DNA sequence: TCAAAAGTGTTTAAGGTACACCCATGT
DNA sequence: ACATGGGTGTACCTTAAACACTTTTGA
């Protein structure tokens, strides 16, 4: 069977999830540390199953490996070099996990941005640890996962600029403009002028102020706002950051 | 073998090519008409082979089916619903072409924009015809190919706006600003003001005028321009249409 | 009273949009 | 002389970018 499958036109197909997390200050990346001590870390990912589409596969894999649920994942792109798996440590790990460790694997990468404060990932059985690592400090990952992360981050930035929905989905119902700005600064990795930032969202009217302010903060309490989805849908062609 | 493959985690992987062609006036789409009379048309596509990466597979498939060569293809995205193949005509066609016609197929779509005047596609053996169809008049295609084409067109438009390279690659070395404008109008499907269009490219200095004009035209001859690639590379972050 | 973040306007420069006429050429 | 597309400039408006001080609260 191994013979048949590795010599015909029949590679395996997997999904890999690039999950960015925002904790109110910094951008982090969800990585899985594998059990054997010398194994490198990697993105959560696994082979797809029959009868599930790619989006479903990505959700399931993420759930199985980390317990994270109800997360909206966007497809990034497919990666399929025949020699994606080149490192010895990669092969060793695959021998533990896959029935046919040498078969070529084509992977469809997904990405997402989630609220780190609300989520507590837990490791799957074969993982040593599930960890949020600062994006800027992510070390060497297995396979071509560093490359995939770079592409995903590039895409996330574009996405946030041209379609801020991915940002609002992460924030709570009511939020302050500072929170929103911190999110943009963390993802785009650049400081943003406060007045210009507010102006952009307020004049576009895609955020509306509520009758409520912060309480018990040791500084002037900030106004809470909510996202006006309907308004945004009407003007989305003209809005970008 | 069929049993093994259709019940394990091992779908087939194919590539499909969405090739847009520009003839100086209109935007067309390359489609393949299959031989049995009742078969619907489809995009050029086929299973990938071992030892070729996805980009190579897309180039090879396009070449084999149409004779088109040296075409720069961009990856669009992967499509992988288990029920992508639902139509009876689709299944019938697959029976003619595939060894395992019922196995699930995940496809990676690619797209490109080419100069229709320079290319003469020829049909592969199993195809009845290779045809350039006006994008606006493309009828029902097999599988989920209409959906794929819609996505590709959306992406092409974004691409042309935010990175005009794909446009200049299609034009000859020397071109007139009118040709460039017609290209934008055809792809974006909207009329564009001539003066503003010229201003945008001329003030950005990404086109430079040559010492040569059109000849033997029954109207005031137009100036030829060339694309200044180096200049563009320097300012690409700030240029978009 | 101090520290910390909230909130607020104006100026300047650049770019977007809308718009109409004369010019050069071949037939 | 006519038909065809080539080529040009201005006025108005919107948006981007830079920039500093006062306010409110809890400790």
């Amino acid at each position: 069977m191994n013979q048949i499958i590795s010599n015909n036109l029949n590679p395996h197909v997997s999904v890999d999830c690039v999950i960015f997390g925002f904790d109110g200050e910094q951008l982090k990346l969800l990585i899985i540390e594998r059990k054997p001590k010398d194994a490198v870390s990697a993105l959560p990912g696994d082979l797809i199953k029959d009868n599930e589409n790619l989006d479903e596969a990505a959700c399931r894999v993420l759930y199985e490996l980390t317990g994270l649920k109800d997360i909206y994942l966007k497809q990034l792109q497919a990666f399929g070099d025949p020699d994606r798996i080149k490192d010895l440590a990669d092969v060793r790990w695959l021998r533990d996990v896959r029935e046919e460790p040498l078969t070529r694997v084509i992977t469809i990468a997904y990405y997402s941005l989630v609220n780190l404060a609300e989520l507590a990932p837990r490791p799957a059985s074969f993982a040593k640890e599930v960890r949020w690592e600062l994006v800027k400090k992510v070390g060497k990952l297995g396979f071509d996962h560093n490359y995939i992360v770079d592409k995903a981050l590039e895409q996330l930035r574009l996405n946030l600029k041209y379609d801020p929905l991915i940002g609002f989905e992460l924030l709570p119902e009511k939020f302050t403009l500072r929170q929103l700005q911190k999110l943009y600064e963390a993802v785009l990795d650049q400081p943003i002028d406060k007045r210009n930032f507010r102006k952009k969202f307020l004049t576009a009217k895609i955020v509306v102020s509520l009758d409520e302010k912060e309480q018990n903060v040791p500084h002037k309490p900030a106004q809470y706002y909510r996202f006006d989805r309907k308004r945004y849908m009407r003007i989305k062609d003209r809005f970008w950051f």
Side-chain angles (χ1 to χ4, degrees), chain A residues 103-158:
Chain A
T103 303
R104 173 178 180 189
V105 176
I106 286 167
T107 199
I108 322 283
Y110 279 77
Y111 72 100
S112 189
L113 178 59
V114 303
N115 189 338
L116 212 146
E118 290 173 3
L119 296 171
R122 56 165 175 71
S125 55
F126 68 79
K128 202 172 78 186
E129 202 185 339
V130 176
R131 197 155 41 88
W132 291 105
E133 182 81 87
L134 284 178
V135 164
K136 289 184 181 175
K137 293 197 175 167
V138 168
K140 186 172 172 343
L141 302 176
F143 315 110
D144 51 359
H145 286 186
N146 288 99
Y147 180 67
I148 293 177
V149 170
D150 289 346
K151 289 285 175 192
L153 184 53
E154 202 178 289
Q155 195 59 38
L156 172 66
R157 286 175 174 154
L158 275 180

Side-chain angles (χ1 to χ4, degrees), chain A residues 59-82:
Chain A
C59 288
R60 174 185 57 78
V61 167
L62 183 61
Y63 176 68
E64 286 179 1
L65 297 190
T66 69
L68 299 182
K69 221 171 182 174
D70 295 324
I71 291 184
Y72 178 61
L73 291 152
K74 284 187 183 244
Q75 190 186 125
L76 175 63
Q77 59 162 110
F79 297 85
D81 272 8

Side-chain angles (χ1 to χ4, degrees), chain A residues 130-197:
Chain A
V130 176
R131 197 155 41 88
W132 291 105
E133 182 81 87
L134 284 178
V135 164
K136 289 184 181 175
K137 293 197 175 167
V138 168
K140 186 172 172 343
L141 302 176
F143 315 110
D144 51 359
H145 286 186
N146 288 99
Y147 180 67
I148 293 177
V149 170
D150 289 346
K151 289 285 175 192
L153 184 53
E154 202 178 289
Q155 195 59 38
L156 172 66
R157 286 175 174 154
L158 275 180
N159 195 173
L160 190 64
K161 281 189 172 187
Y162 297 114
D163 183 7
L165 266 178
I166 195 170
F168 288 113
E169 267 160 18
L170 161 158
L171 291 173
E173 277 293 299
K174 55 183 189 185
F175 52 84
T176 68
L177 292 182
R178 167 165 239 251
Q179 286 177 287
L180 185 61
Q181 181 173 344
K182 283 277 183 191
L183 171 59
Y184 273 77
E185 289 178 331
V187 173
L188 303 180
D189 191 29
Q190 59 178 21
I192 300 171
D193 180 88
K194 182 168 48 160
R195 278 174 289 195
N196 293 338
F197 183 85

Side-chain angles (χ1 to χ4, degrees), chain A residues 16-138:
Chain A
D16 281 304
C17 301
V18 186
I19 311 297
F20 295 105
F22 177 65
D23 63 1
E25 288 290 331
Q26 290 178 294
L27 192 64
K28 301 189 177 180
L29 176 66
L30 185 68
I31 59 180
I32 292 193
E33 215 159 303
R34 297 190 229 111
K35 259 185 185 151
K37 198 175 141 218
D38 62 339
V40 289
S41 304
L43 297 171
D46 198 6
L47 300 181
I48 68 167
K49 293 192 168 158
D50 276 4
N51 305 319
E52 71 184 355
N53 68 31
L54 300 175
D55 296 2
E56 287 162 0
C59 288
R60 174 185 57 78
V61 167
L62 183 61
Y63 176 68
E64 286 179 1
L65 297 190
T66 69
L68 299 182
K69 221 171 182 174
D70 295 324
I71 291 184
Y72 178 61
L73 291 152
K74 284 187 183 244
Q75 190 186 125
L76 175 63
Q77 59 162 110
F79 297 85
D81 272 8
D83 59 352
R84 290 180 62 226
I85 305 168
K86 39 180 185 273
D87 203 309
L88 248 172
D90 294 341
V91 176
R92 219 174 299 140
W93 180 71
L94 288 177
R95 259 205 302 266
D96 288 350
V97 174
R98 298 271 163 86
E99 286 179 22
E100 302 159 20
L102 294 177
T103 303
R104 173 178 180 189
V105 176
I106 286 167
T107 199
I108 322 283
Y110 279 77
Y111 72 100
S112 189
L113 178 59
V114 303
N115 189 338
L116 212 146
E118 290 173 3
L119 296 171
R122 56 165 175 71
S125 55
F126 68 79
K128 202 172 78 186
E129 202 185 339
V130 176
R131 197 155 41 88
W132 291 105
E133 182 81 87
L134 284 178
V135 164
K136 289 184 181 175
K137 293 197 175 167
V138 168

